[in-house]
């Protein structure tokens, strides 16, 4: 990242993403959306909650790919990438969970005291967050950076093996209120066309935001690694 | 293949021999099971407990016993300084499968004692004993597969502490969500085998995936 043209290109992409996100957020609050009973203006959460989940899933994928890369090549940079993707993905996951809980409370569970009701997708998302929590705790238990990198990459991949089972197990025991699940109408049938004009750019914008945060953190950790010999010191 | 089986068997035989000398792990686990069943029984009090709650409590006791008792399998090698000798003499997959077999035997003892003390203290009425035994056997295989790999992970850590439950429980959610309904079906009877068939398939697939993945990943944890 040292040559001036690469830095310039990085800054250009970053600024485009930030301008794009600003436009998305303004549009998300200002466009005219159909008013549906109970849902009302909470429907605008579609522009935040759903892209956050897409972003988290992308981050999980990025993290797992770099864990595999680490086990194959043992490059410290792969370990940094796997960790930072997990950290930024975790942050998006927490935000997605909070926006989801608040949304459900005032629509699905309106008039009840329910905040949390093991919805399949909610359960799987919470599980992925717990796995990353364990992954972060595991990393702090090592002194030797090389051993920490190798063992935590193995744990990251081992935990990722167990997640797909939930795709099969959870929906059998819990019914979902999410669109497109359990015979609920699919996203494309219930969403007004004008909302999609903001939704798809929001997905791109949030993933772009992930990319900014992720690359910045990776570069910071790489500098730490070069200066101190350990990215987490 | 023959060579691999001999190596695996020698790891298992070594662990069994050490265990019969002191019976530390077995006594620890069985005491943990018995005392925790007492805690459960006294904590619930004299109120009526539904079979669903009993199935859940039985598995919670088994899960915690596994995550506490099986964590020692690799830590003890590190503490005794014998892991280097193992590394020199047998391949990683032999060590993993040998330790897995030992842990599985321990866990079957846990299952037996937990079920017996549950029926003694909590009036566990089992309608389909064969199904419950099968669910315990298959579920414990997945449980042993995961905890064996994760105990190898914590043996490599500098600060071990009570790390195993933290690492293990997130990966065991799919297992917990199938063994409890299947055990409940075994307690309630009726068309239990049909009701538990789907869950049993998931349990078998889970054990297979976890053990295969562990064999593939074990070398990265085990070798330096």
């Amino acid at each position: 990242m040292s040559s001036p043209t690469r830095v310039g290109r990085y800054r250009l992409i970053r600024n485009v993403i930030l301008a794009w996100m600003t436009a998305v957020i303004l549009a998300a609050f200002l466009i005219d959306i159909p008013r549906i009973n109970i849902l009302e203006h909470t429907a605008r959460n579609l522009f935040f909650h759903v892209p956050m989940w897409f972003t988290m899933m992308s981050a999980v994928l990025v993290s797992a790919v770099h864990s595999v890369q680490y086990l194959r090549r043992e490059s410290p940079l792969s370990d940094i990438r796997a960790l930072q993707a997990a950290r930024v993905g975790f942050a998006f996951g927490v935000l997605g969970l909070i926006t989801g809980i608040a949304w459900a409370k005032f629509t699905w569970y309106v008039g009840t005291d329910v905040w949390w009701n093991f919805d399949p997708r909610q359960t799987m998302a919470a599980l992925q967050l717990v796995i990353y929590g364990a992954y972060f705790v595991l990393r702090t238990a090592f002194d030797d950076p090389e051993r920490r990198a190798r063992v935590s990459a193995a744990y990251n991949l081992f935990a990722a093996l167990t997640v797909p089972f939930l795709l099969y197990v959870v929906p059998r025991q819990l019914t979902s209120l999410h669109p497109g699940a359990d015979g609920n109408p699919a996203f494309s049938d219930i969403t007004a066309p004008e909302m999609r004009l903001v939704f798809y750019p929001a997905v791109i914008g949030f993933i772009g935001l992930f990319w900014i945060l992720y690359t910045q953190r990776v570069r910071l950790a790489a500098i730490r690694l070069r200066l101190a010999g350990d990215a987490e010191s | 293949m023959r060579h691999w089986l001999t190596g695996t068997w020698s790891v298992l035989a070594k662990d069994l021999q050490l265990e019969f000398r002191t019976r530390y792990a077995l006594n620890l686990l069985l005491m943990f099971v018995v005392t925790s069943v007492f805690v459960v029984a006294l904590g619930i009090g004299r109120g009526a407990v539904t079979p669903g709650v009993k199935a859940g409590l039985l598995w919670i006791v088994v899960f915690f016993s596994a995550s506490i008792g099986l964590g020692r399998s690799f830590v003890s090698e590190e503490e005794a300084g014998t892991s280097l000798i193992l590394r020199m003499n047998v391949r990683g997959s032999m060590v993993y499968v040998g330790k897995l077999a030992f842990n599985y035997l321990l866990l079957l003892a846990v299952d037996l004692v937990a079920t017996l003390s549950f029926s003694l203290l909590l009036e566990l009425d089992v309608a389909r004993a064969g199904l419950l035994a099968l669910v315990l056997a298959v579920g414990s295989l997945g449980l042993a597969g995961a905890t064996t790999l994760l105990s190898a992970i914590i043996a490599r850590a500098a600060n071990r502490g009570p790390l195993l439950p933290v690492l293990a429980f997130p990966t065991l959610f799919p297992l917990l969500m199938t063994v409890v309904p299947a055990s409940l079906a075994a307690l309630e009877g009726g068309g239990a085998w049909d009701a538990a068939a789907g869950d049993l398939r998931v349990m078998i697939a889970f054990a297979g995936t976890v053990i295969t993945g562990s064999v593939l990943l074990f070398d990265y944890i085990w070798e330096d």
Side-chain angles (χ1 to χ4, degrees):
Chain A
M1 289 278 169
S2 51
S3 76
T5 51
R6 290 189 69 180
V7 173
R9 199 168 58 203
Y10 183 83
R11 287 193 181 142
L12 178 70
I13 298 173
R14 185 194 63 191
N15 292 341
V16 167
I17 291 170
L18 293 178
W20 179 284
M21 271 311 284
T22 312
V24 163
I25 290 171
L26 285 176
F29 281 104
L30 297 179
I31 62 155
D32 204 21
I33 60 168
R35 299 285 290 276
I36 303 164
N37 188 26
I38 297 179
L39 202 56
E40 301 290 343
H41 276 299
T42 68
R44 293 181 193 280
N45 203 359
L46 172 76
F47 307 134
F48 301 101
H49 172 67
V50 185
M52 281 167 189
W53 283 128
F54 287 2
T55 309
M56 184 203 176
M57 284 185 262
S58 324
V60 168
L61 201 65
V62 171
S63 180
V65 166
H66 285 295
S67 283
V68 173
Q69 285 295 328
Y70 184 84
L71 292 184
R72 286 168 54 130
R73 307 244 162 77
E74 306 239 325
S75 148
L77 209 57
S78 299
D79 179 51
I80 289 174
R81 290 213 164 104
L83 171 66
Q84 300 307 340
R87 279 195 179 154
V88 181
F90 185 83
F92 276 99
V94 170
L95 290 173
L97 201 63
I98 293 171
T99 49
I101 288 174
W103 201 5
K105 169 71 184 163
F106 297 107
T107 51
W108 297 345
Y109 312 135
V110 68
T112 66
D113 284 334
V114 179
W115 283 92
W116 180 280
N117 184 20
F118 284 101
D119 184 273
R121 290 184 193 180
Q122 201 174 355
T123 310
M124 290 184 53
L127 177 70
Q128 187 61 53
L129 291 180
V130 177
I131 286 176
Y132 275 155
Y135 172 69
F136 300 145
V137 170
L138 175 66
R139 295 189 66 97
T140 60
F142 289 91
D143 296 331
D144 174 25
E146 214 169 282
R147 188 181 280 187
R148 174 181 61 213
R150 194 147 28 84
V151 172
S152 54
Y155 181 73
N156 195 15
L157 293 174
F158 179 75
L161 280 180
T162 62
V163 175
F165 281 95
L166 292 169
L167 285 172
Y168 179 75
V169 174
V170 180
R172 283 158 44 90
Q173 293 175 15
L174 312 159
T175 50
S176 181
L177 294 167
H178 275 99
D182 288 326
N184 296 340
F187 168 78
S188 51
D189 298 336
I190 49 171
T191 310
E194 63 265 35
M195 290 185 76
R196 274 181 249 171
L197 288 179
V198 182
F199 172 70
Y200 293 124
V203 172
I204 297 168
F206 270 99
I207 291 178
L209 190 62
F210 163 76
W211 182 81
I212 294 179
L213 295 169
Y214 163 68
T215 47
Q216 282 182 349
R217 296 187 65 101
V218 167
R219 292 189 320 160
L220 180 65
I223 291 169
R224 282 215 183 103
L225 176 71
R226 210 163 55 221
L227 294 180
D230 182 4
E232 281 166 67
S233 59
Chain B
M1 188 65 204
R2 198 178 166 76
H3 173 64
W4 187 86
L5 282 176
T6 331
T8 308
W9 170 250
S10 62
V11 173
L12 172 63
K14 172 199 79 82
D15 272 1
L16 284 173
Q17 205 168 17
L18 280 178
E19 183 55 34
F20 282 124
R21 224 174 268 167
T22 61
R23 286 179 290 280
Y24 176 71
L26 194 65
N27 287 341
L28 179 90
L29 266 175
L30 297 187
M31 276 314 292
F32 181 83
V33 171
V34 171
T35 46
S36 52
V37 175
F38 262 107
V39 168
V40 166
L42 294 172
I44 287 172
R46 304 198 63 80
V49 186
T50 61
V53 175
K54 281 178 195 166
L57 287 171
L58 176 67
W59 276 102
I60 289 171
V61 168
V62 173
F63 269 50
F64 272 95
S65 311
S67 71
I68 286 165
L70 307 188
R72 285 202 48 79
S73 49
F74 285 96
V75 174
S76 57
E77 303 278 358
E78 292 279 329
E79 280 170 357
T82 46
S83 35
L84 196 62
I85 301 171
L86 270 182
R87 242 172 248 141
M88 282 162 64
N89 287 304
V90 282
R91 287 213 304 273
S93 58
M94 303 175 191
V95 178
Y96 172 76
V97 177
K99 293 274 182 188
L100 168 66
F102 178 70
N103 283 344
Y104 186 51
L105 291 176
L106 277 182
L107 210 48
L108 288 180
V110 166
D111 291 340
L112 187 68
V113 175
T115 322
L116 288 178
S117 38
F118 257 78
S119 37
L120 193 68
L121 295 170
L122 283 157
E123 295 158 17
L124 194 74
D125 298 316
V126 188
R128 297 276 184 280
L131 179 61
L132 185 65
L134 185 66
V135 169
L136 283 166
V138 178
S140 298
L141 186 60
L143 184 56
T147 40
T148 305
L149 182 82
L150 297 175
S151 70
I153 284 184
I154 58 164
R156 309 297 283 161
N159 316 313
R160 283 161 198 152
L163 200 55
L164 189 56
V166 172
L167 298 184
F169 289 161
T171 65
L172 293 171
F173 279 10
L175 190 64
L176 188 66
M177 294 185 73
T178 46
V179 288
V180 172
S183 309
L184 176 61
L187 295 186
E188 283 181 332
W193 285 92
D194 292 333
D199 287 327
L200 273 170
R201 278 202 297 272
V202 177
M203 276 146 59
I204 293 167
F206 184 84
T209 310
V210 161
I211 292 171
T212 313
S214 299
V215 169
L216 291 174
L217 290 170
F218 185 75
D219 280 340
Y220 295 108
I221 297 162
W222 180 240
E223 306 286 341
D224 256 325

